[in-house]
Amino acid sequence: MGASAQDIADATPATRDRYVDLLRVASLGTVIAGHWLMAAVSGDGIGNLLAVVPPLQVLTWALQVMPVFFFVGGFSHALSYRSLARRADGPVYAAFLRARLRRLLRPTLVFVAVWTAVALTAQLLGGGGGRLSGAAFRLVTQPLWFIGIYLAMVALTPPLLTLHERYGWAAFGALAAAAAAVDLLRFAGGVPYAEFLNFAFVWLAVHQLGFLRADRRIRRPGALAAAGLAGAVLLVAYGPYPLSMVGMPGEKVSNMAPPTLALLAHGIWLVGAVELLRAPAAWLARPRVWRGVVAANGVAMTAFLWHLTAMLAVYAAQLGLGLALPEPAGAAWWAQVPVRFLAAAALTCVLVAVFRRCEAPAAGGPGTPSGAGPGSGPRAALGTVLCLLGVLGLSTTGLGGLLEGHSATLIALPVTAPAAIGMALGGWLLVERSGTSRRVRLRG
């Protein structure tokens, strides 16, 4: 039985940077609210509110806060890896990967299993090809791209942390320069597939900022925010970059998929902004406030995985009750927004209550540095690569057309949903088995 939020809150050391925990919850909460707002469901299918009302795309400069989550990830990964390395005699790479991946992959694979069963059942019964159901089977897996990218960040933490410790800001600068070079190759050189490199360079640059924060090297957050905001404005105003910081249906260029230099500038300004708005430690140390932050962190990934399911269920219930879906962005649609949000939030809470145990760390699991002996590191790395490819592939294919062999393109290669699921499961097994060799001995 895992420790309760109360137990964890009571055991929190005074030296913990609680603001990071608040940022993790707030960033995922903002993403969830943004998804609920952007989903424009009608009898014709599922669209995007920002495409229906283009002036609203400026809201993405506040609602696209995934860079903040990756920034917080960099901070946490640096502290976690260093702590494990200090306490262990021997290699710790595999133990670090297992500790971080279990918390991500256990709830993710359960989510995939449940939705795969739903999609297969619907298709066997002949109900999977409808306009709304087909869109739903594509939509629910799209947010998994975030987990795939996060897996890559975990896997690359040790080498990138070494570069940070040696070069500091120059390591971040090199990643940012590489992102700029990729955009030059993409827009000026027309080099095919070059743009996909920025899935690594852009997000890893934001992640690298988390390392800098861990070492207290972000000393002028105001200057960082101003530089990032100015860069994003100039790139959008005079470059080939769209206004929206999230993908829009049918657009020729997306700032998100693959990421662009404009999105990196957006991430830089957000990092500077959240550092400027740093919450007072005394406020976060209040027992009620801190218990709430701890409890939310304990279920944040589960809520993120299931929030679109809850939103789709709200629309399905509306249709099931015979209520017409109003035209997106119309007066009736806006009037229903508060009701839809409350209903989706309530259903998300129900789903979290059902699936939260999948996110809870297993006894002796995460953080246990066992099994990081010789040979386990490469196995864990290979498993992580398979997991991230599987998760990214599934976010691309969706779960529609499982029986028809529907495929989508992942970078330059076609992939089907069953193949993606197989890669994720195979990778998970490899990561787990990376702990079968000798145990790492802890110091002290």
Side-chain angles (χ1 to χ4, degrees), residues 255-282:
N255 280 321
M256 270 289 294
T260 64
L261 185 61
L263 184 63
L264 175 55
H266 170 72
I268 291 170
W269 102 258
L270 282 180
V271 167
V274 297
E275 285 296 281
L276 277 174
L277 297 173
R278 191 165 182 166

Side-chain angles (χ1 to χ4, degrees), residues 3-76:
S4 67
Q6 177 71 62
D7 295 335
I8 297 172
D10 291 343
T12 302
T15 55
R16 184 177 182 90
D17 191 335
R18 303 177 188 222
Y19 184 54
V20 168
D21 297 277
L22 177 64
L23 286 180
R24 184 184 295 111
V25 171
S27 58
L28 281 185
T30 302
V31 171
I32 288 172
H35 285 169
W36 286 344
L37 180 63
M38 287 189 296
V41 180
S42 67
D44 295 328
I46 303 175
N48 191 314
L49 176 66
L50 303 182
V52 177
V53 189
L56 292 179
Q57 292 178 18
V58 72
L59 293 177
T60 62
W61 288 54
L63 296 177
Q64 170 51 296
V65 294
M66 200 57 83
V68 175
F69 189 90
F70 290 148
F71 164 65
V72 168
F75 175 90
S76 300

